[in-house]
């Protein structure tokens, strides 16, 4: 078969086939008389084999060694697995750094390029299992806070001007940039470039201001989906576990026994139900 037919059957483009021949990975027969290449079924299988290994990012010199019988395929695949796992860790770190920068939403002019390069060229020491989970948990909590947060202003909120003043005070206390786009009792504004809508939640003694991100789907953690699901579950369970441990410890110290076990369990269940209800809203 000619190169066009070999390309169609193998899924390898004709220029790549010629390149692989030049690199010594393939040596098709030549037709007598015109010296045209004559590819066989075995050549097509070799091309598919090369294509498979290239999809696994195996370097061409290694593929050449495998085809020549100098390198066992099993050893090559194990070594490539290790290399890919190391690269995946590097890419995961790069993805997290990209997500961190994206949340800050810097401009090309304001970005501290030297600080970014310093962090990228001199990464911190490898993290322990526990510290990695703690950092990821903080990242998740930060993003969740960006999607929805509330605060209690200094005084009551009865006018749009008082609402605006409360938002300005909140931003100033935290060194954040406030941009008001719509004043009122349901104002629209931005904090450090993230757009929000706010409303007042009147309380018996003090008002509460609740703020919701306009586009929460654009705020992401940059974490692997499995890790994020695990951390979301942990974020629901952790307050209940802490409540249970605190009440049980207090009961043990007060009575020297487990008399408060049921109280601790009921309190923890109440906190757990509250967090589940909060996540449903």
């Amino acid at each position: 078969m000619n190169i066009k037919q070999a390309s169609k059957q193998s899924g390898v483009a004709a220029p790549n086939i010629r390149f692989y021949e030049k690199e010594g990975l393939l040596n098709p027969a030549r037709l007598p008389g015109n010296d045209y290449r004559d590819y066989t079924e075995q050549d097509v299988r070799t091309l598919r084999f090369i294509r498979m290994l290239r999809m696994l990012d195996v370097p061409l010199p290694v593929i050449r060694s495998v085809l020549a019988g100098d390198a066992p395929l099993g050893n090559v695949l194990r070594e490539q697995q290790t290399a890919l796992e190391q690269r995946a860790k590097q890419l995961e770190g790069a993805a997290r750094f990209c997500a961190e920068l994206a949340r800050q939403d810097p401009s090309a002019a304001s970005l501290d390029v030297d600080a970014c390069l310093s962090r990228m060229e001199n990464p911190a020491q490898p993290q322990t299992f526990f510290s990695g989970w703690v950092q990821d948990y903080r990242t998740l909590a930060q993003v969740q806070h960006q999607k929805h947060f509330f605060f209690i202003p200094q005084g009551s909120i009865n006018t749009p001007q008082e609402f605006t003043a409360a938002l300005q005070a909140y931003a100033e206390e935290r060194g954040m940039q406030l941009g008001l786009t719509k004043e009122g009792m349901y104002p629209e504004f931005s904090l450090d470039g993230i757009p929000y809508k706010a409303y007042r939640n009147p309380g018996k003694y003090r008002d509460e201001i609740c703020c919701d991100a306009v586009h929460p789907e654009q705020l992401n953690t940059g974490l692997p989906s499995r890790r994020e699901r695990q951390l979301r579950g942990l974020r629901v369970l952790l307050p209940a576990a802490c409540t249970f441990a605190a009440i049980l410890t207090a009961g043990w110290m007060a009575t020297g026994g487990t008399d408060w076990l049921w109280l601790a369990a009921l309190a923890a269940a109440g906190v757990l139900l509250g967090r589940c209800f909060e996540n449903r809203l």
Side-chain angles (χ1 to χ4, degrees), residues 53-109:
L53 292 182
R54 289 302 296 148
M55 291 177 69
L56 295 175
D57 210 23
V58 177
L60 285 180
V62 178
I63 297 178
R64 186 186 299 110
S65 299
V66 172
L67 292 174
D70 298 331
L73 179 60
N75 292 347
V76 168
L77 292 175
R78 282 187 287 271
E79 292 175 359
Q80 186 64 10
Q81 176 189 355
T82 301
L84 291 174
E85 288 173 349
Q86 293 175 348
R87 192 177 308 168
K89 292 180 180 179
Q90 295 173 349
L91 291 175
E92 183 179 340
R96 292 183 184 179
F97 191 50
C98 283
E100 179 183 338
L101 290 178
R103 285 194 297 271
Q104 298 173 8
D105 195 23
S107 65

Side-chain angles (χ1 to χ4, degrees), residues 81-240:
Q81 176 189 355
T82 301
L84 291 174
E85 288 173 349
Q86 293 175 348
R87 192 177 308 168
K89 292 180 180 179
Q90 295 173 349
L91 291 175
E92 183 179 340
R96 292 183 184 179
F97 191 50
C98 283
E100 179 183 338
L101 290 178
R103 285 194 297 271
Q104 298 173 8
D105 195 23
S107 65
S110 65
L111 179 66
D112 190 343
V113 179
D114 292 336
C116 291
L117 287 174
S118 178
R119 286 182 57 183
M120 296 170 69
E121 294 172 348
N122 302 290
Q125 293 295 324
Q127 295 180 331
T128 64
F129 175 83
F130 181 74
S131 64
W133 275 86
V134 170
Q135 179 176 341
D136 291 347
Y137 184 87
R138 289 174 177 170
T139 299
L140 176 66
Q142 178 185 0
V143 173
Q144 290 297 104
H145 180 77
Q146 288 177 335
K147 292 181 178 181
H148 171 79
F149 66 91
F150 66 90
F151 65 94
I152 298 175
Q154 294 295 328
S156 59
I157 305 298
N158 298 311
T159 66
Q161 292 74 24
E162 291 176 345
F163 211 138
T164 300
L167 293 174
Q168 290 175 340
Y170 178 87
E172 290 175 359
E173 288 175 2
R174 290 157 180 79
M176 304 175 75
Q177 185 68 36
L178 173 71
L180 188 67
T181 55
K182 178 184 175 182
E183 193 175 39
M185 297 306 291
Y186 295 92
E188 298 178 8
F189 62 98
S190 64
L191 279 177
D192 286 346
I194 301 175
Y196 288 95
K197 291 183 178 180
Y199 61 91
R200 180 189 60 156
N201 187 16
K204 185 175 181 181
Y205 301 104
R206 302 187 70 177
D207 292 341
E208 180 181 76
I209 293 179
C210 300
C211 305
D212 295 320
V214 177
H215 303 292
E217 71 281 356
Q218 297 179 0
L219 301 171
N220 58 77
T221 62
L223 300 173
S225 57
R226 181 180 179 184
R227 173 67 70 93
E228 185 167 342
R229 289 195 301 269
Q230 293 171 337
L231 289 171
R232 287 182 183 277
L234 181 63
R235 196 162 187 260
V236 172
L237 295 174
L238 189 60

Side-chain angles (χ1 to χ4, degrees), residues 226-272:
R226 181 180 179 184
R227 173 67 70 93
E228 185 167 342
R229 289 195 301 269
Q230 293 171 337
L231 289 171
R232 287 182 183 277
L234 181 63
R235 196 162 187 260
V236 172
L237 295 174
L238 189 60
C242 292
T243 301
F244 178 83
I247 294 178
L248 190 61
T249 301
W252 183 275
M253 294 177 62
T255 64
T258 58
D259 298 340
W260 288 19
L261 178 61
W262 289 107
L263 177 61
L266 288 173
V271 173
L272 180 60

Side-chain angles (χ1 to χ4, degrees), residues 6-7 10-12 16-17 20 26 39 42-52:
S7 174
S10 65
V12 179
N16 288 347
I17 294 178
Y20 294 153
L26 192 68
Y39 297 92
Q42 182 60 39
D43 291 330
V44 171
R45 185 187 182 281
T46 300
L47 287 170
R48 290 173 179 167
F49 182 72
I50 296 171
R51 178 185 169 200
M52 181 199 74

